Amino acid sequence: MFYYLKGTVAHMAPYLAVVDCGGVGYACRTTHNTLARLKVGESAKLYTHLYVREEIFELYGFATEEEKNCFLELIGVSGVGPKAALSILSSTSPEGLAMSIITGDEKALTVAPGIGKKIAQRIILELKDKLAKGQMTAGGEPYGGNGVTIIPENKSTEAAAALAVLGYSTQEVSVALKGIDVENLKLEDVIKQALKKMVK
């Protein structure tokens, strides 16, 4: 329904930002990381998702499309609701979440308030499984379509899989990784350099 909101930040509270767009204040549930980028009285652009379940009708907003994509993947995991997803994304960056999933680092997820070992394991298992089956949505299409199975085996494929978690398509990932010294850089640095190329 809404792709993004652009207006003036009218109010901020924990997990909440109100953006005034033409005299209408939109209350967006959000993360600590997004709130840290906002300031009351200044202009802001939030990428949004309208969450509708039975009697729940809430708008969620994020400073980057990567954070929004991670939120959507998280709430797609069984047993993970918007509150848990915001908690995770308030405790780590989208790149950090992608790294945790690809490397199976459940401890990085349990740092988030309310996230126990079992739910962390489920997140890693389900999202890794989606990647392996080519079902991870990226840029509106499945990552690794045409029946291609993506199983991280080396740093290059791990980086590609992590970027898929952030919502990038196979083609975008391939172009972004070109020219990066994958073998000699840390995985996190490879991902950061690829992201810099994609946002230019």
Side-chain angles (χ1 to χ4, degrees):
M1 186 176 181
F2 303 110
Y3 189 78
Y4 68 79
L5 292 176
K6 190 173 183 180
T8 304
V9 180
H11 176 71
M12 285 167 50
Y15 294 106
L16 177 71
V18 178
V19 181
D20 185 322
C21 300
V24 179
Y26 292 88
C28 296
R29 302 290 174 187
T30 191
T31 66
H32 295 333
N33 290 330
T34 286
L35 287 171
R37 297 181 178 212
L38 306 178
K39 192 172 182 180
V40 173
E42 292 189 358
S43 179
K45 180 179 180 180
L46 296 181
Y47 295 92
T48 56
H49 171 70
L50 187 62
Y51 183 82
V52 181
R53 289 291 186 280
E54 297 177 358
E55 295 180 5
I56 301 171
F57 195 83
E58 290 185 323
L59 192 62
Y60 290 81
F62 307 92
T64 66
E65 289 190 87
E66 290 87 359
E67 194 174 37
K68 176 188 170 182
N69 289 334
C70 285
F71 175 80
L72 294 177
E73 294 296 351
L74 284 169
I75 63 174
V77 174
S78 56
V80 178
K83 187 177 179 180
L86 289 185
S87 179
I88 291 169
L89 290 170
S90 289
S91 300
T92 186
S93 64
E95 304 92 82
L97 174 64
M99 289 271 292
S100 300
I101 292 165
I102 300 308
T103 60
D105 185 4
E106 62 188 55
K107 288 183 180 178
L109 298 180
T110 56
V111 168
I115 305 301
K117 187 175 180 180
K118 284 186 178 180
I119 196 72
Q121 289 173 337
R122 190 182 305 147
I123 289 168
I124 290 168
L125 182 67
E126 289 194 23
L127 294 187
K128 259 191 173 181
D129 191 48
K130 282 179 74 175
L131 272 172
K133 291 178 180 176
Q135 296 173 346
M136 185 74 78
T137 56
E141 62 183 73
Y143 184 84
N146 303 319
V148 177
T149 299
I150 301 163
I151 302 173
E153 295 172 345
N154 55 44
K155 206 184 294 182
S156 183
T157 49
E158 282 185 338
L163 290 165
V165 175
L166 300 178
Y168 291 102
S169 68
T170 312
Q171 186 177 359
E172 287 173 321
V173 170
S174 179
V175 171
L177 290 176
K178 275 185 180 177
I180 296 176
D181 189 3
V182 176
E183 296 308 315
N184 294 314
L185 288 171
K186 290 181 180 178
L187 180 58
E188 190 175 358
D189 292 330
V190 172
I191 295 167
K192 284 180 180 178
Q193 284 197 22
L195 285 173
K196 281 181 182 178
K197 288 174 71 174
M198 284 190 277
V199 297
K200 281 181 180 179

